[in-house]
Amino acid sequence: MFLSKKILKSTLKLNNFQRNMSLIKNKAYINGKWTSALNNETFNVLNPVDKSIIGSVPDMNCDDVNLAINSATEAFKTFSKTTAKERSDLLRSWYNLMVKNSEELANILTQENGKSLAESRAEIKYGNSFVEWFSEETRRINGEILQEPMRNRKLMILKQPIGPVALITPWNFPHAMITRKVGAAIAAGCTCVIKPSEDTPLTALALAKLAEDAGFPPGVMNFITTNLNNSPQIGKLLCEDKNIRAISFTGSTAVGKILYQQSASTMKRLSLELGGNAPFIVFESANIDLAVGGAMQCKFRNTGQTCVSANRFFVHNSRFDEFLQKFVDKISQDIKMGDGKKNNITHGPLIKQSQIDMIDHLVIDAINKGAKLHCGGKKLSDLGPLFYAPTVLTEVNRDMEIYHREIFGPVAVIHKFNDENDVLNEANSVNVGLAGYFYSEDLSQIFRVANKMEVGMIGANEGLISCAEAAFGGVKESGIGREGSKHGVDDFLDIKYLCIGNIKY
Ligand code: ADP
């Protein structure tokens, strides 16, 4: 009797959970309509906790994408004429709906990405903040009046929306990577074709539903869903289509380079936010407790699957043992892996099989070649197929694959150093430069090191640095362009110089 009551209760709870999921959509969104693929193909979306199916969405191909491009092109004719105030109001309504539906968005995000509910809630808040920010920035996109070198002329610079744009996003921040791009594009007056990752399309479609409810006109935001097989052709189409005037992409450096090459034929504006290989340096004067706190955040957030994750730790010889001990202790105290839906869980699984296989391979390769393991170093198969234990390695050298790679998983590699110049040379020795972190209590050193680090973003005595106000982006092969901040709209604007001559005063 007691048991059946319990089962009844949990079934009711599940039904309520599903019933409350009004934002889960199984169709794409083109020209203001919820749309299947023309050939009716679909693909399943999996929960990485146990690979169970949580939904299915259209598997679109280039025919469908052409419809989306046409829709964005048609809508641009009128949307480009809207006032900044009108766009601001639309973005604000979208933002308000996102805030109102934060809990459901977080639940969807946790289900398809696997990150804990606490992390999903943080992402929703962060992602929402871009829409709020750009609802404000749109009213500050101003041109310039110039000093004319001749008396009878008036010179000015106009800023105009570049045209319909394509936005391609990854799975590690399914909400924030969309809002950061769409917010800026809409603020500038552009219309969009949005292609979310095949691993996390449900969060994107939930955002489409809220955009529809917020009153965005048909064609202004088009969300297409597609499986990985179709992504290369779709990417090529978006790069080569002459109506699409800009592409904003967040993802791997390899795909970013393909898009860069493909865009040459149409001279498209490109904004590329690609991979990183962030150094995390702990200098002699560092506050070790602060450094350990920062290391926990920027190594293990999203189970290490972020492009700004610390990838190479360098700790001064004199503080090495202290840092290592405190870091390993903190990992065992603070990290509780499991199904992100559960309350006490801090970290979820990796996103997919290829990801966990790659992490496992890197760790085994390092250990076989002499690296020292301090914790973790194994799959946690009893939790599910994609869980990998938080891992710390030292004595890693150049012969090991992990030394050269962006790890994208919960594995920290810690090196020793003695000299500031040496460690900076090592930090700067890679082809990428997205984020970098260091801990020091020496003010001169803070300015010196910040100046010399070859990255686009720096956290000095801080491990979590992203926000809507900041300019997010990298140098070298980490990409082109900046997102967020007042600069985030630049990639979606054309500058037009206007000279009015022969004015009779
Ligand atoms: P990750 O390795 O983090 O999944 P990817 O660069 O493979 O990063 O994927 C990021 C986004 O790019 C996803 O939306 C994915 O579907 C898309 N994508 C993958 N390959 C291509 C391609 N050749 N052209 C365009 N988009 C692609």
Short mmCIF file of all heavy atoms in Angstrom, two decimals, residues 239-266:
data_model
loop_
_atom_site.label_atom_id
_atom_site.label_comp_id
_atom_site.label_asym_id
_atom_site.label_seq_id
_atom_site.Cartn_x
_atom_site.Cartn_y
_atom_site.Cartn_z
N CYS A 239 27.53 30.16 -45.91
CA CYS A 239 28.71 30.96 -46.26
C CYS A 239 28.62 31.50 -47.69
O CYS A 239 29.06 32.62 -47.96
CB CYS A 239 29.98 30.10 -46.17
SG CYS A 239 30.46 29.67 -44.51
N GLU A 240 28.08 30.70 -48.59
CA GLU A 240 28.13 31.08 -50.01
C GLU A 240 26.90 31.83 -50.48
O GLU A 240 26.89 32.38 -51.59
CB GLU A 240 28.37 29.82 -50.86
CG GLU A 240 29.76 29.25 -50.59
CD GLU A 240 30.07 27.98 -51.37
OE1 GLU A 240 29.15 27.43 -52.02
OE2 GLU A 240 31.23 27.54 -51.31
N ASP A 241 25.86 31.86 -49.66
CA ASP A 241 24.64 32.56 -50.09
C ASP A 241 24.88 34.07 -50.08
O ASP A 241 25.39 34.63 -49.10
CB ASP A 241 23.48 32.22 -49.14
CG ASP A 241 22.18 32.80 -49.64
OD1 ASP A 241 21.94 34.00 -49.40
OD2 ASP A 241 21.43 32.06 -50.30
N LYS A 242 24.49 34.73 -51.17
CA LYS A 242 24.83 36.15 -51.26
C LYS A 242 23.91 37.04 -50.41
O LYS A 242 24.27 38.17 -50.08
CB LYS A 242 24.84 36.62 -52.73
CG LYS A 242 23.50 36.62 -53.42
CD LYS A 242 23.66 37.16 -54.82
CE LYS A 242 22.39 37.09 -55.64
NZ LYS A 242 21.11 37.17 -54.97
N ASN A 243 22.75 36.54 -50.02
CA ASN A 243 21.87 37.36 -49.18
C ASN A 243 22.31 37.40 -47.72
O ASN A 243 22.05 38.35 -47.01
CB ASN A 243 20.43 36.84 -49.25
CG ASN A 243 19.81 37.13 -50.60
OD1 ASN A 243 19.96 38.25 -51.11
ND2 ASN A 243 19.16 36.16 -51.20
N ILE A 244 22.93 36.32 -47.29
CA ILE A 244 23.45 36.29 -45.91
C ILE A 244 24.72 37.13 -45.90
O ILE A 244 25.68 36.84 -46.59
CB ILE A 244 23.76 34.84 -45.46
CG1 ILE A 244 22.47 34.00 -45.41
CG2 ILE A 244 24.49 34.80 -44.14
CD1 ILE A 244 21.52 34.37 -44.31
N ARG A 245 24.71 38.19 -45.10
CA ARG A 245 25.83 39.14 -45.16
C ARG A 245 26.87 38.95 -44.04
O ARG A 245 27.95 39.52 -44.09
CB ARG A 245 25.31 40.59 -45.12
CG ARG A 245 24.56 41.03 -46.37
CD ARG A 245 25.31 40.74 -47.69
NE ARG A 245 26.74 41.01 -47.61
CZ ARG A 245 27.67 40.31 -48.26
NH1 ARG A 245 27.35 39.29 -49.03
NH2 ARG A 245 28.94 40.61 -48.14
N ALA A 246 26.52 38.18 -43.02
CA ALA A 246 27.51 37.93 -41.95
C ALA A 246 27.23 36.58 -41.33
O ALA A 246 26.09 36.12 -41.33
CB ALA A 246 27.43 39.02 -40.88
N ILE A 247 28.31 35.98 -40.83
CA ILE A 247 28.16 34.74 -40.08
C ILE A 247 28.82 34.92 -38.73
O ILE A 247 29.95 35.41 -38.65
CB ILE A 247 28.81 33.55 -40.82
CG1 ILE A 247 28.03 33.30 -42.10
CG2 ILE A 247 28.87 32.31 -39.93
CD1 ILE A 247 28.24 31.97 -42.74
N SER A 248 28.09 34.56 -37.70
CA SER A 248 28.70 34.55 -36.38
C SER A 248 28.69 33.11 -35.89
O SER A 248 27.64 32.47 -35.83
CB SER A 248 27.90 35.46 -35.44
OG SER A 248 28.46 35.40 -34.16
N PHE A 249 29.86 32.60 -35.58
CA PHE A 249 30.01 31.18 -35.25
C PHE A 249 30.75 31.02 -33.93
O PHE A 249 31.75 31.70 -33.69
CB PHE A 249 30.80 30.49 -36.38
CG PHE A 249 31.26 29.09 -36.03
CD1 PHE A 249 30.40 28.01 -36.12
CD2 PHE A 249 32.58 28.86 -35.64
CE1 PHE A 249 30.84 26.72 -35.81
CE2 PHE A 249 33.02 27.57 -35.33
CZ PHE A 249 32.15 26.50 -35.42
N THR A 250 30.27 30.15 -33.08
CA THR A 250 31.04 29.73 -31.91
C THR A 250 31.19 28.23 -31.99
O THR A 250 30.20 27.51 -32.14
CB THR A 250 30.33 30.12 -30.60
OG1 THR A 250 30.24 31.54 -30.54
CG2 THR A 250 31.11 29.63 -29.38
N GLY A 251 32.42 27.75 -31.91
CA GLY A 251 32.65 26.31 -32.00
C GLY A 251 34.13 26.03 -32.12
O GLY A 251 34.98 26.83 -31.71
N SER A 252 34.43 24.91 -32.75
CA SER A 252 35.83 24.47 -32.81
C SER A 252 36.64 25.30 -33.82
O SER A 252 36.09 25.84 -34.79
CB SER A 252 35.88 23.00 -33.22
OG SER A 252 35.28 22.86 -34.49
N THR A 253 37.92 25.38 -33.58
CA THR A 253 38.81 26.10 -34.50
C THR A 253 38.77 25.43 -35.88
O THR A 253 38.79 26.11 -36.91
CB THR A 253 40.24 26.13 -33.94
OG1 THR A 253 40.19 26.74 -32.64
CG2 THR A 253 41.18 26.94 -34.81
N ALA A 254 38.67 24.10 -35.90
CA ALA A 254 38.67 23.39 -37.18
C ALA A 254 37.49 23.85 -38.04
O ALA A 254 37.66 24.18 -39.22
CB ALA A 254 38.62 21.89 -36.93
N VAL A 255 36.30 23.86 -37.47
CA VAL A 255 35.12 24.28 -38.25
C VAL A 255 35.20 25.78 -38.56
O VAL A 255 34.85 26.21 -39.67
CB VAL A 255 33.80 23.91 -37.52
CG1 VAL A 255 32.60 24.51 -38.23
CG2 VAL A 255 33.66 22.40 -37.42
N GLY A 256 35.69 26.57 -37.61
CA GLY A 256 35.84 28.00 -37.86
C GLY A 256 36.69 28.27 -39.10
O GLY A 256 36.39 29.15 -39.91
N LYS A 257 37.75 27.49 -39.25
CA LYS A 257 38.64 27.69 -40.42
C LYS A 257 37.92 27.31 -41.72
O LYS A 257 38.12 27.96 -42.74
CB LYS A 257 39.91 26.85 -40.25
CG LYS A 257 40.86 27.45 -39.22
CD LYS A 257 42.13 26.64 -39.11
CE LYS A 257 43.07 27.29 -38.11
NZ LYS A 257 44.32 26.56 -37.93
N ILE A 258 37.10 26.28 -41.66
CA ILE A 258 36.33 25.90 -42.86
C ILE A 258 35.40 27.05 -43.25
O ILE A 258 35.31 27.45 -44.40
CB ILE A 258 35.50 24.61 -42.59
CG1 ILE A 258 36.42 23.43 -42.36
CG2 ILE A 258 34.53 24.33 -43.74
CD1 ILE A 258 35.70 22.15 -41.92
N LEU A 259 34.71 27.60 -42.26
CA LEU A 259 33.75 28.68 -42.55
C LEU A 259 34.48 29.91 -43.11
O LEU A 259 33.99 30.59 -44.02
CB LEU A 259 32.96 29.06 -41.29
CG LEU A 259 32.10 27.94 -40.68
CD1 LEU A 259 31.40 28.43 -39.42
CD2 LEU A 259 31.06 27.42 -41.67
N TYR A 260 35.66 30.17 -42.57
CA TYR A 260 36.45 31.32 -43.01
C TYR A 260 36.79 31.17 -44.50
O TYR A 260 36.61 32.09 -45.30
CB TYR A 260 37.74 31.36 -42.18
CG TYR A 260 38.44 32.69 -42.07
CD1 TYR A 260 37.93 33.85 -42.66
CD2 TYR A 260 39.63 32.80 -41.35
CE1 TYR A 260 38.60 35.06 -42.53
CE2 TYR A 260 40.30 34.01 -41.21
CZ TYR A 260 39.78 35.13 -41.81
OH TYR A 260 40.42 36.33 -41.69
N GLN A 261 37.24 29.97 -44.86
CA GLN A 261 37.59 29.72 -46.27
C GLN A 261 36.37 29.81 -47.17
O GLN A 261 36.40 30.44 -48.22
CB GLN A 261 38.20 28.33 -46.41
CG GLN A 261 39.63 28.29 -45.95
CD GLN A 261 40.24 26.89 -46.09
OE1 GLN A 261 39.52 25.91 -46.13
NE2 GLN A 261 41.55 26.83 -46.12
N GLN A 262 35.28 29.20 -46.71
CA GLN A 262 34.08 29.16 -47.55
C GLN A 262 33.46 30.54 -47.76
O GLN A 262 32.72 30.75 -48.71
CB GLN A 262 33.02 28.24 -46.91
CG GLN A 262 33.39 26.77 -47.01
CD GLN A 262 32.44 25.89 -46.23
OE1 GLN A 262 31.60 26.38 -45.46
NE2 GLN A 262 32.54 24.60 -46.42
N SER A 263 33.74 31.44 -46.83
CA SER A 263 33.10 32.76 -46.91
C SER A 263 33.81 33.71 -47.87
O SER A 263 33.32 34.80 -48.13
CB SER A 263 33.06 33.40 -45.52
OG SER A 263 32.21 32.66 -44.69
N ALA A 264 34.96 33.28 -48.37
CA ALA A 264 35.73 34.19 -49.23
C ALA A 264 34.94 34.58 -50.48
O ALA A 264 34.97 35.74 -50.90
CB ALA A 264 37.05 33.53 -49.63
N SER A 265 34.18 33.63 -51.04
CA SER A 265 33.52 33.91 -52.32
C SER A 265 32.48 35.02 -52.19
O SER A 265 32.20 35.71 -53.17
CB SER A 265 32.86 32.64 -52.85
OG SER A 265 31.84 32.24 -51.98
N THR A 266 31.90 35.20 -51.03
CA THR A 266 30.89 36.28 -50.87
C THR A 266 31.42 37.42 -50.00
O THR A 266 30.66 38.31 -49.64
CB THR A 266 29.59 35.72 -50.25
OG1 THR A 266 29.95 34.97 -49.08
CG2 THR A 266 28.83 34.86 -51.22
#
